[in-house]
Amino acid sequence: MKEQEKAEIKRLSDLLDALNRKEPMLLESGDAEKLGTLLKEKEALVNEIERLRDVRDQKLSKEAQKLQKLPFSRAITKKEQANMGALKKSVRGLVVVHPMTALGKEMGLKEMTGFAPGAF
């Protein structure tokens, strides 16, 4: 679902860019009617892009809230990181969040952290 919003934001941004490129030509020609419709379209696109970005941020927040509700979390050691497959097999429901991902940045993580329903 996040990918759908991302693709839609990209499409709308491309349309906005195209309108921005048309604007100087309309200003030179002095066609006020076409310029007015262009500005209305640009405003609508900007508003829609902002709305979609807010939706995407809310979805990230929902995911972060779900992870925060899990009863156990701790940093993943370097040794565990080296053998992540074995760690994930041994701990049911483990979710590992890297601090450089969007979710990790949103949660303010400083190191790779694992969230699980039980201690590990």
Side-chain angles (χ1 to χ4, degrees), residues 20-90:
N20 283 335
R21 281 190 245 120
K22 285 183 184 178
E23 189 175 6
M25 291 185 293
L26 289 176
L27 284 173
E28 286 179 12
S29 68
D31 193 353
E33 187 177 310
K34 286 184 180 179
L35 187 61
T37 58
L38 179 92
L39 292 175
K40 286 180 186 176
E41 286 179 41
K42 276 179 55 174
E43 186 177 335
L45 284 174
V46 168
N47 290 338
E48 182 65 13
I49 289 170
E50 286 301 314
R51 186 190 69 78
L52 286 171
R53 285 185 177 148
D54 289 340
V55 166
R56 189 180 68 194
D57 289 344
Q58 286 176 353
K59 286 186 178 180
L60 280 177
S61 295
K62 285 179 187 175
E63 195 172 338
Q65 289 171 2
K66 194 168 59 172
L67 288 176
Q68 293 290 345
K69 287 180 185 176
L70 288 174
F72 191 78
S73 67
R74 70 167 173 85
I76 304 295
T77 64
K78 295 285 183 187
K79 190 173 184 178
E80 290 171 330
Q81 289 179 27
N83 200 357
M84 191 63 73
L87 178 65
K88 285 187 175 185
K89 285 180 183 177
S90 67

Side-chain angles (χ1 to χ4, degrees), residues 2-32:
K2 285 186 284 187
E3 296 302 318
Q4 189 176 10
E5 278 87 16
K6 189 174 181 180
E8 186 65 15
I9 289 171
K10 172 82 171 112
R11 188 184 69 79
L12 293 175
S13 293
D14 290 346
L15 288 173
L16 183 62
D17 189 40
L19 292 178
N20 283 335
R21 281 190 245 120
K22 285 183 184 178
E23 189 175 6
M25 291 185 293
L26 289 176
L27 284 173
E28 286 179 12
S29 68
D31 193 353

